[in-house]
Amino acid sequence: MSLWRGREKEPAREQIATIAGEASAEAAVALEHADRTTVRPAPPVDLTAAAFFDVDNTMMMGASIFHFARGMAARKFFTSSDLARFALQQVVFRIGGRETHDGIRNARESGLSFVAGHSVAELMALGEEIYDELMADKIWPGTRSLAQMHLDAGQRVWLVTATPVDLATIIARRLGLTGALGTVLESENGVYTGRLVGEMLHGPAKAHAVRALAAREGLNLRRCTAYSDSANDVPMLSVVGTAVAVNPDGSLREAARKRGWEIRDFRTGRKAAKIGVPSVLGAGAVAGAVAAGLAYRKRGT
């Protein structure tokens, strides 16, 4: 896989998003074709249509990268100060709502820096364990049924997420889906550098990834469907023929109503009444990790 190394002069945001999207599509195709060890879904009979699903709060309750970080913390992959720093960045990102280009990139790169020096094979093996421990029971049954509906129609189904593509591919395989588009972590000789290729797969980068994959796979985007919970994914939802807001935040719910997009809400009771609560709860849990990490550091001083 070709890696972007032009770090001396930062390209325009749109160019970086394009790089991230194309790298994600390239990685997704490579991983799909390289995986011969598990039973894959039946070959698609509808070759020009596909479905694209966001992961966090759409396919899975909460943030997949946070569940992964919890599993890594339990395995002592980083120190208490590393955990506190990562958690604080996630709180700022989720609650502060300051989704500037530099802020998003810096938070994600710093948050994923703990993988630097570890092999891809090692992290993939741990990802399998962590999925079973912390993620399998977080899948929304309603969203999973929507994905199965597309599979039963002979269409391919892809996850599209800011989560690292290696981890996203594990989730997709466990759900019996076709594959995943995700943030590409740079690696050299099978070892992670701790840097990203382009930027995280977020906002416009997701739309670029979907377009790039459609070009590679011969998909007709007008016949494709996309699902997401966040207004950040409006670019991705806008490039397909059918867009569906799943467990939408307030901004996406409003956009969906204006554009005539279908809305599916699988939350119940108090959760459904308070749009965006799952993200806040996730941030609260990370805040608890910050407190715990800082308390641990104080005891050690």
Side-chain angles (χ1 to χ4, degrees):
M1 180 187 304
S2 60
L3 297 179
W4 176 61
R5 302 187 183 281
R7 302 183 183 280
E8 300 173 358
K9 201 170 186 180
E10 192 77 7
R13 180 177 183 180
E14 182 70 14
Q15 184 179 350
I16 300 177
T18 301
I19 291 170
E22 292 178 350
S24 182
E26 182 180 348
V29 172
L31 287 168
E32 180 196 20
H33 293 171
D35 182 12
R36 306 298 186 190
T37 61
T38 58
V39 177
R40 301 204 59 78
V45 295
D46 189 343
L47 298 178
T48 63
F52 300 95
F53 285 81
D54 171 55
V55 174
D56 297 350
N57 294 317
T58 301
M59 181 63 75
M60 176 182 294
M61 303 175 196
S64 50
I65 189 60
F66 174 62
H67 297 317
F68 184 62
R70 284 179 57 205
M72 297 300 289
R75 290 162 173 78
K76 311 299 183 184
F77 256 69
F78 39 75
T79 66
S80 58
S81 59
D82 292 331
L83 178 60
R85 184 173 63 253
F86 170 71
L88 181 59
Q89 289 164 342
Q90 296 305 302
V91 170
V92 171
F93 177 70
R94 288 183 173 275
I95 294 182
R98 300 180 60 184
E99 297 192 357
T100 64
H101 169 56
D102 290 338
I104 292 170
R105 179 183 173 85
N106 292 339
R108 183 64 62 170
E109 278 210 351
S110 181
L112 294 174
S113 63
F114 65 85
V115 304
H118 292 284
S119 72
V120 175
E122 179 185 17
L123 267 292
M124 290 290 282
L126 289 175
E128 297 280 359
E129 296 177 7
I130 294 170
Y131 178 87
D132 289 332
E133 294 173 6
L134 301 173
M135 299 182 183
D137 63 350
K138 301 294 192 303
I139 302 299
W140 288 103
T143 311
R144 178 67 187 86
S145 295
L146 291 174
Q148 189 61 49
M149 174 185 71
H150 288 280
L151 292 173
D152 292 342
Q155 299 176 5
R156 283 167 283 186
V157 177
W158 298 84
L159 298 179
V160 188
T161 175
T163 292
V165 68
D166 300 330
L167 178 59
T169 299
I170 291 173
I171 299 172
R173 185 171 64 247
R174 291 303 191 90
L175 294 175
L177 309 182
T178 307
L181 297 163
T183 297
V184 180
L185 306 187
E186 183 184 74
S187 63
E188 296 178 351
N189 300 317
V191 177
Y192 291 115
T193 66
R195 297 186 294 269
L196 305 182
V197 178
E199 66 174 8
M200 63 178 284
L201 202 72
H202 177 272
K206 283 189 176 182
H208 286 300
V210 168
R211 289 194 189 98
L213 185 70
R216 288 173 179 270
E217 300 290 301
L219 299 174
N220 179 350
L221 287 174
R222 292 184 179 180
R223 300 193 62 241
C224 292
T225 308
Y227 300 81
S228 178
D229 73 298
S230 173
N232 294 320
D233 287 339
V234 166
M236 177 182 74
L237 294 169
S238 299
V239 302
V240 297
T242 302
V244 182
V246 176
N247 305 328
D249 60 28
S251 296
L252 180 58
R253 184 177 290 268
E254 181 179 356
R257 286 172 174 165
K258 289 181 178 178
R259 300 182 184 217
W261 292 345
E262 183 180 355
I263 298 175
R264 296 288 189 99
D265 202 326
F266 300 119
R267 297 166 296 186
T268 58
R270 191 162 176 263
K271 286 185 180 179
K274 295 187 176 181
I275 304 301
V277 162
S279 294
V280 175
L281 290 177
V286 183
V290 173
L294 294 178
Y296 180 89
R297 291 180 67 189
K298 288 181 179 179
R299 287 201 301 270
T301 57

